Amino acid sequence: MDSLRERERNARYLKKKSRRRHLLIIAAEVVLLVVLLGCCYVISSINAMQQEGTLEQDKIYRPDFVVQEDPEESDQQADATVSPDDDGEDDDQNQGNRPVFNYNDVMDQYWNILLVGVDARDNESLTSKVRSDVMMVCSINKKTNEIKLASVYRDTYMKMADGRGYQKANSALFYGDVYDTINTLNMNLDLYLTDYVVVNWAAVAKCINLLGGIEADITEEFITKGFYNSLVTETVESTGIPSNQIWVPGHYTLDGVQAVAYCRVRHSDSDYQRTARQREVMSQLLQKAQDEVKRGNVGLLISMMQEVTENVRLSISDGDLLNMIINARSFALVDQTGYPFDKSGAHWVGDITIEYPVVPINVENNVRQLHQFLYGDNGYEPSKMLKEISEYVKKISGLE
């Protein structure tokens, strides 16, 4: 009798265990389905943001020390990296300007992305014929996930990659497209920017609102000299996002529109301080996004992507972007700066016919400092093109 009862108990136990296992399998399948649907949703959002997005890598300017992945493209790159007034000498001279070791190995360790903020309305292209108010080099160390940001002052005097001579850096996007901007920066900074993210002010405001705002001090000078509240009103009108003006100086948690106005003020100080504020806001946004991921609130980042679909263009692949979202908590913004380091911002500089240019005092030395900042002491030596640019700027500006 006892044996029969024991067999019945065992049978009930096994039946219950089987039911529990079946429920666990169903739960796992549901979770997997939700994850797959989430991934499909994220990818569809990414695809929506990538209109005008894909970059053809063979159209990107490479300094002469950046080795191409496809040897068959070497002839095309040789043509692309020759100055318009090159005398046609062979590559011996160019070879002599390359570092004694393969600097390409250094560059391969970093993923260099151009971050651009544009003053564009919702119905305008984000990647051509528009003003680039923000240009940042975002360099990611692929081994450590450490991030460094370098703002390029929008009025920096540079050689245009599209052949228009020397102009202010932000004119590359206004008169051309994102290729012209990337190639101009690569040419004048000896960089190898391979991807871009372009946002308008609406995208920034929406993200900041979803993340709960950013902390900042609104000074008396901002209000009285910087036309801060006029910028708040202008941003509301251009984005359609509601906000309020601030008339009492103090420390505030700024909403998205107020934060955008904070990034745009320059008449109370200068463009140098403005770019520092832009990097400050970027730092807070990254930290807040990481905090949300640490709390398991990945859904908020997905909501952000949905909100800014029409306000962002990027060339980053679906896989790379998904990987960045998944590993968001591992990224760390470790340093930031502005370029050029040594500069003149006078009304007129030498024989330059452009008003208020930001002119590097010795381009070659400034670019050396930039590479030191981004990559450390890794044996950088300027390319032939960079040396030519440096000599020209020195001659026309009179700055040593």
Side-chain angles (χ1 to χ4, degrees):
M1 188 71 174
D2 291 339
S3 176
L4 178 61
R5 288 174 179 170
E6 185 176 347
R7 286 197 299 272
E8 289 175 348
R9 283 198 300 270
N10 287 339
R12 286 196 297 270
Y13 170 76
L14 291 173
K15 186 176 181 181
K16 189 183 296 183
K17 185 176 180 180
S18 175
R19 187 183 301 115
R20 189 182 301 119
R21 185 186 300 113
H22 184 63
L23 289 173
L24 287 173
I25 291 173
I26 292 175
E29 290 174 344
V30 169
V31 170
L32 180 59
L33 180 60
V34 169
V35 170
L36 288 174
L37 288 173
C39 288
C40 291
Y41 176 78
V42 172
I43 290 173
S44 67
S45 299
I46 294 171
N47 288 334
M49 290 189 292
Q50 286 180 322
Q51 300 170 32
E52 310 173 350
T54 304
L55 279 178
E56 298 178 41
Q57 294 299 309
D58 61 343
K59 292 184 178 180
I60 295 178
Y61 176 92
R62 299 171 176 87
D64 60 29
F65 48 72
V66 176
V67 179
Q68 298 203 57
E69 296 180 2
D70 183 0
E72 293 181 1
E73 296 179 358
S74 58
D75 292 338
Q76 298 175 7
Q77 181 58 24
D79 293 337
T81 57
V82 171
S83 166
D85 19 84
D86 196 357
D87 57 9
E89 293 180 357
D90 60 29
D91 289 339
D92 292 342
Q93 181 181 358
N94 197 22
Q95 183 71 30
N97 286 317
R98 294 179 183 173
V100 294
F101 71 103
N102 188 3
Y103 194 67
N104 193 67
D105 293 340
V106 176
M107 304 291 277
D108 281 346
Q109 186 180 333
Y110 298 85
W111 183 16
N112 296 312
I113 305 169
L114 175 62
L115 308 181
V116 182
V118 298
D119 181 14
R121 305 302 187 262
D122 288 343
N123 61 346
E124 293 180 323
S125 169
L126 300 182
T127 57
S128 66
K129 307 298 186 293
V130 66
R131 291 185 295 272
S132 50
D133 290 335
V134 180
M135 289 177 288
M136 287 186 197
V137 174
C138 174
S139 186
I140 303 175
N141 187 320
K142 292 186 283 189
K143 293 182 179 179
T144 65
N145 279 351
E146 291 180 335
I147 300 173
K148 292 183 180 179
L149 292 178
S151 297
V152 178
Y153 303 126
R154 65 178 195 170
D155 294 333
T156 303
Y157 190 64
M158 289 186 169
K159 180 183 179 68
M160 297 290 105
D162 61 3
R164 290 184 300 108
Y166 285 75
Q167 303 287 335
K168 292 181 178 180
N170 68 342
S171 75
L173 192 59
F174 186 74
Y175 289 101
D177 57 24
V178 70
Y179 283 104
D180 297 313
T181 302
I182 287 177
N183 289 339
T184 293
L185 295 181
N186 282 347
M187 180 184 294
N188 287 268
L189 304 178
D190 262 358
L191 292 179
Y192 187 36
L193 294 158
T194 57
D195 281 294
Y196 71 86
V197 177
V198 179
V199 301
N200 62 14
W201 292 127
V204 178
K206 290 175 181 178
C207 288
I208 290 173
N209 282 342
L210 284 170
L211 290 171
I214 60 106
E215 301 297 312
D217 293 318
I218 301 300
T219 66
E220 181 73 29
E221 289 75 17
F222 269 40
I223 296 170
T224 58
K225 298 180 181 178
F227 308 105
Y228 175 75
N229 285 304
S230 295
L231 292 172
V232 169
T233 300
E234 182 183 320
T235 306
V236 169
E237 291 174 349
S238 67
T239 64
I241 302 172
S243 184
N244 297 301
Q245 296 180 335
I246 296 175
W247 289 101
V248 179
H251 185 80
Y252 290 89
T253 299
L254 303 181
D255 66 26
V257 168
Q258 293 165 343
V260 166
Y262 176 76
C263 289
R264 298 181 66 184
V265 170
R266 67 167 176 161
H267 292 291
S268 63
D269 37 39
S270 72
D271 192 44
Y272 311 141
Q273 282 72 36
R274 179 171 69 164
T275 58
R277 289 193 293 273
Q278 292 165 355
R279 295 193 301 273
E280 172 195 341
V281 169
M282 176 72 71
S283 178
Q284 289 195 48
L285 280 175
L286 178 61
Q287 185 60 59
K288 282 178 170 286
Q290 288 180 314
D291 290 343
E292 293 297 334
V293 172
K294 290 174 183 178
R295 287 194 285 265
N297 195 6
V298 179
L300 180 61
L301 299 188
I302 296 175
S303 296
M304 287 172 56
M305 294 178 65
Q306 181 186 23
E307 284 291 318
V308 303
T309 295
E310 298 301 320
N311 310 111
V312 178
R313 296 292 179 268
L314 70 164
S315 64
I316 301 173
S317 69
D318 298 354
D320 284 338
L321 197 54
L322 275 173
N323 187 57
M324 290 177 72
I325 294 172
I326 293 170
N327 296 295
R329 62 190 303 169
S330 70
F331 290 98
L333 179 58
V334 296
D335 210 350
Q336 50 187 296
T337 192
Y339 177 91
F341 302 90
D342 306 312
K343 55 195 174 291
S344 171
H347 189 173
W348 299 106
V349 179
D351 294 327
I352 296 174
T353 58
I354 300 171
E355 293 185 274
Y356 295 107
V358 175
V359 183
I361 300 175
N362 194 315
V363 173
E364 186 175 328
N365 286 346
N366 271 279
V367 174
R368 284 182 183 275
Q369 290 181 67
L370 179 62
H371 280 251
Q372 174 71 32
F373 168 79
L374 293 174
Y375 312 126
D377 187 12
N378 281 308
Y380 165 72
E381 285 297 330
S383 66
K384 177 184 177 184
M385 177 67 79
L386 195 282
K387 288 179 178 289
E388 291 177 357
I389 291 171
S390 187
E391 286 302 313
Y392 176 83
V393 173
K394 186 185 300 183
K395 178 180 178 181
I396 194 170
S397 69
L399 300 174
E400 296 291 335

